[in-house]
Amino acid sequence: MLLITCPYCRMARPESEFHYGGEAHVARPAEPANVSDAEWAAYLYMRANPKGVHAERWRHIHGCGRFFNAVRNTVSDEILATYEAGMSRPDLGDGTKDAR
Amino acid sequence: MASLHRTNGGGRVDRARTLSFTFDGRTYQGHPGDTLASALLANGVHLVGRSYKYHRPRGILSAGAEEPNALVTIDRGDGRAAPNLRATQVELYDGLVAESQNRWPSLSYDVGAVNSLFSPLLAAGFYYKTFMGPRLLDSNWAWHKIYEPLIRRAAGLGKAPTLPDPDRYANRFAHCDVLVVGAGPAGLAAALAATEAGARVILCDEQAELGGALLSEWAVEIDGTPAASWVADAVRALAASPRVTLLPRTQAFGYFAQNFVALAERLTDHLASSDPAAARERLWQVRAKEVVLATGAIERPIVFPGNDRPGIMLADAARTYVNRYGVRPGSRTVVLAACDSGYAAALDLHRAGIDVATIVDPRPNGNRTLIEAARTAGIAIEVGATVIATRGRQRVTAVRIARIGADGSAAAGSWIPCDHVAMAGGWTPSVHLFSQSRGKLAWSDAAQAFLPAAAAPGQAQRSAGACRGVFGLAAALEDGFAAGKAAADTRVRKRSFNVTHDLTDFSGIVGTPGTGAHVSKAFVDFQHDVTVRDLKLAAQEGFRAIEHVKRYTTTGMATDQGKTSNLNALAIVADHLGKPIPEVGLTTFRQPYTPVSFGTIAGTSRGDLFDPVRRTPCDGWAQAAGAVFEDVGAWKRARYFPEGGEDMHAAVARECRTVRGAAGMFDASTLGKIEVVGPDAAVFLDRLYINSFQKLGVGRCRYGVLLNEAGFIIDDGVIGRLAPDRFHVTTTTGGAARVLNMMEDYAQTEFPDLKVWLTSTTEQWAVIAVQGPRARDVLAPLLEEVDLGATSFPHMSVKAVRICGIEARLFRVSFTGEMGFEINVPADYGVAVWEAVWREVQKHGGCAYGTETMHVLRAEKGFIIVGQETDGTVTPDDVGLGWAIGKSKRDFVGMRSLSRPDMVRGGRKQLVGLLTADPKLVLEEGAQVTAELHPPAGTPALGHVTSAYWSAALGRSIALALVADGRARIGTRLNVPMPGSDVPVEVVAPVFLDPKGERLHG
């Protein structure tokens, strides 16, 4: 059971209070009618699946209910950072920020 | 009562008290403080089990958790039978009933021993060869008589109990600064240091008494205090601190991410009788800031032919039986010593009055001090020798020793009569928990063992003492204290310990002594009967990776997970492959360290609490009315209300006729309900649902359809506008949580600019649907000053009303095609209002109906059920709901996907009705729809039947189906292949009743 720090509650809580929400920073196009089929398909279906550092969404569903983002190493399960929804991904100085 | 097999004094058993127990029906005596194993040995019982493959007689090998042979079933009555318990860990109590396993009809005369004759057929990989290769014997005989029984037994030696477990199990979450696993010398010292620092400490140990190896010492003094007294002092000091939790009888069995450690505490199994209300075991889920692993080490057997006979045991176990339990495990012993602990055992056995015939030491150079001590005690020593054969059927009677030559070969030597052999092959650090924590291990040549190297990220833990290769009491105590200090507070003053009678060499040998050329049928894994020959065979057959060898030979895969065998197996394979051990690798250590009962893991999640059931406020009424229920998600819903012995078909037909003819009432409380509130509530719903809500008037309702971004229907429901900024949204019964989560997701992350608040109100409202031509007459007397007329309160309206004096939300909606109302009252008033409505319904000849009738009525009208007509690949247009899409909308969730090429391409499956040529025949839901009557194999289906019912209103069967280009096929004939016959069907529009909606709007 992972410990996850909710950036809104500012405390580490057990994983069972949270729901996983898929890859983070996949923004819905502001004007879907104006994007091409290929761009829309990429938004719908194309996701990174890295072995290593991954920015992803979580929801503190059995706590404050807020969605937030976390940077997690998918190999070690280490959660390197959590931050509020809408904030940009923090640079952890490991070269993974722009790797997507 | 003095026993021949008890020492004259000493040990930690209470000789003043005697306990009776039975083993395979025979009654024996023991003392408090005994384990089942020590008590059996004290009665001269060495044969305690049969091996799993060859049914060879097996004795007690160890004195601890690593025991592979002495597995027993303890029966405490009333279904309380626990199989595969290690006799070495079972505490003796008065009246204990133990049974041996894997033997028939008895331990001494076991028919299965005939398997030894078939041993050539049972070598490594026999499962695979049996399944994959040609049958060795041409008939099914071998399969039924040999292979299948063997494979069935492979699931475990003991038999699982068949009755429900009557015991209770407890669960506790705990947090601490320092969790110390293992209360041997290193663990006790670590706990003392952490306690001195003021830390909150949990100290757990699987044994009944804390102290570990120190409990088996008689001569050792620590700082001038005898070991036993030192342990007692330490435990007293720890127990005195309110910040320390001591957990004896508690096995740490799993080490998970971020210092999350699972412990299993045995609470009542050691008691002759206990309060039936008391929990049997407790699962502790501990989150520790720091973990100190002080899990010790396990002595290795030595691999020599015939090393599995009863009476052959680990040297340190023999020493423990003599020193701690006051038991003589034999009368004449041969000690095979590859490290110091063998000599220590020989000296202690000698002191206890056992004739130590000889010490055989495979090493050319042993510890000179210990050799001198043994010589002084008059014990013969053979240096540079090993055992190459043993005799004895149910107990060892002699061993043959041989000198190991310069070339590593062993020449046959003399037979030495004995009834006990003690083997000291060296010590394997118990790195199981460290490895479970995902720490990396590294091979140490000096220790001849894998030792903890790098810790995994997020695991604030350290190993101390023997489990990290720090052997010797003084070193382990100091290492433990240093670990506890580092874990808690580095300001604690360093401590050193002055220890007498300390040992130094623990490495021993791995694999076989000498070259091993003389060794073939020598057992490596006792529990799974894996021999040296099996391992060599696996290597010869091309297996190179140890994980493959493990699976092919099943070495290390028994309930003991190879605690005594893995390293020897690894060394033998490495030797055969000509590779160094670290290159062959190491198998993965998995939870649990020792088996944990299912009850402990399940805890209170059993029966009604396993998967809690949701019941509506009117559930009790429906039960009293004799409803038959069905599960819908976690809900129990009334399916139909049979009267006078009706079956479902008859009851549903009657309910359908009554609703269409008069009125029916239906419990719709399970519908998901979400209150959407805020100045932007209408805009928000516009962006989520396909429909338009901004122009929906207050007091009006709309049927809403929700898509995912891929354009597929995922939910639907009626949405009513109660105020400009307040909507009452309903969802499907199963979709409530999912839809709220999706709404929250969009509200928080995509549209954070919108001012909207979402609240689940599913459980706040009881919902009573009243449907049918008399519905208005049913409700009118119960409502205060409300005009239910078709013009003042038309179909798809909502209004705040008082019913029976209670504030309610009244909807005029219909899922039956009849005039319909849904009354939402606060859940606590649900039954009262239901009963009031019921009285009125009866006056009009109405009935209560269940979900089955609801399904038929809606199918007659072609109303879809999400999840039945849709399966996550269905668009609004596919099911004829294209009209619901707001015409002027620029965007809603899933809108963009509806114009993707695949969504507008011809050939999509569309909702249609099907009428069978034979009106009595009801199609199978899920049946395929084809163009041809007898399509050749491989012909793709045009679609499938999604709903099929008997329609009482139409006097015939009806069906809904998704069919490729279905709307263009209306009026044509298709076919539905069914078991036994292919059914011709006519494709029709999916509305069977009142297509103009005259009844609905009446």
Side-chain angles (χ1 to χ4, degrees), chain B residues 428-429 431 441-444 447-452 467 567 570 581-582 585-586:
Chain B
T428 307
V431 295
L441 297 163
W443 175 255
S444 160
Q448 288 289 288
F450 284 97
L451 300 179
C467 70
L567 198 57
L570 182 57
I581 285 174
L586 186 63

Side-chain angles (χ1 to χ4, degrees), chain B residues 211 216 345 529 688 859:
Chain B
S216 300
D529 269 355
L688 263 85

Side-chain angles (χ1 to χ4, degrees), chain B residues 288-621:
Chain B
K289 273 189 196 149
E290 298 273 344
V291 174
V292 175
L293 296 175
T295 47
I298 292 171
E299 198 168 32
R300 276 190 305 282
I302 292 179
V303 182
F304 58 87
N307 61 345
D308 67 326
R309 295 191 199 285
I312 303 178
M313 65 173 59
L314 296 169
D316 199 64
R319 189 162 166 261
T320 291
Y321 287 119
V322 166
N323 290 348
R324 179 171 172 184
Y325 297 106
V327 172
R328 292 191 189 104
S331 57
R332 184 173 158 85
T333 293
V334 170
V335 178
L336 188 48
C339 70
D340 283 3
S341 55
Y343 288 83
L347 290 164
D348 285 359
L349 295 181
H350 174 76
R351 175 177 170 270
I354 297 168
D355 174 13
V356 180
T358 182
I359 297 174
V360 182
D361 190 338
R363 299 169 300 176
N365 303 303
N367 179 329
R368 300 218 62 79
T369 317
L370 288 170
I371 290 172
E372 276 314 308
R375 290 228 163 94
T376 307
I379 302 172
I381 300 172
E382 289 277 355
V383 173
T386 185
V387 173
I388 56 161
T390 66
R391 280 187 187 141
R393 290 192 60 79
Q394 299 186 353
R395 178 88 183 260
V396 64
T397 56
V399 300
R400 189 174 208 184
I401 62 171
R403 298 198 68 81
I404 300 172
D407 62 350
S409 64
S414 55
W415 284 95
I416 301 177
C418 63
D419 63 0
H420 182 245
V421 176
M423 354 176 229
W427 290 76
T428 307
S430 293
V431 295
H432 308 69
L433 289 173
F434 173 80
S435 183
Q436 284 179 21
S437 83
R438 297 195 191 183
K440 291 273 181 290
L441 297 163
W443 175 255
S444 160
D445 272 328
Q448 288 289 288
F450 284 97
L451 300 179
Q459 307 285 44
Q461 54 83 42
R462 62 206 77 231
S463 296
C467 70
R468 73 176 193 105
V470 176
F471 292 103
L473 276 180
L477 285 162
E478 275 160 24
D479 199 43
F481 197 87
K485 165 177 138 79
D489 187 342
T490 50
R491 287 168 300 184
V492 171
R493 219 148 50 89
K494 189 179 170 199
R495 240 179 101 176
S496 57
F497 296 84
N498 196 353
V499 176
T500 64
H501 300 86
D502 213 350
L503 304 177
T504 53
D505 179 17
F506 292 83
S507 59
I509 53 172
V510 292
T512 50
T515 59
H518 58 288
V519 179
S520 165
K521 194 153 183 173
F523 286 87
V524 179
D525 182 325
F526 292 90
Q527 196 173 118
H528 257 176
D529 269 355
V530 180
T531 62
V532 173
R533 192 187 55 181
D534 293 323
L535 294 166
K536 288 181 178 173
L537 184 63
Q540 272 163 21
E541 293 187 358
F543 291 94
R544 292 291 177 269
I546 194 66
E547 291 281 7
H548 294 159
V549 173
K550 169 180 162 175
R551 280 155 185 79
Y552 194 59
T553 63
T554 75
T555 191
M557 288 175 70
T559 64
D560 67 344
Q561 292 190 67
K563 290 184 177 65
T564 54
S565 63
N566 281 345
L567 198 57
N568 280 336
L570 182 57
I572 289 162
V573 173
D575 186 50
H576 201 79
L577 295 174
K579 284 183 180 176
I581 285 174
E583 275 185 33
V584 180
L586 186 63
T587 55
T588 309
F589 295 90
R590 298 183 199 282
Q591 312 93 2
Y593 175 74
T594 48
V596 178
S597 66
F598 284 116
T600 302
I601 291 169
T604 54
S605 298
R606 299 170 62 187
D608 288 346
L609 298 179
F610 172 68
D611 188 12
V613 165
R614 300 176 82 181
R615 294 184 184 278
T616 72
C618 307
D619 181 82
W621 187 93

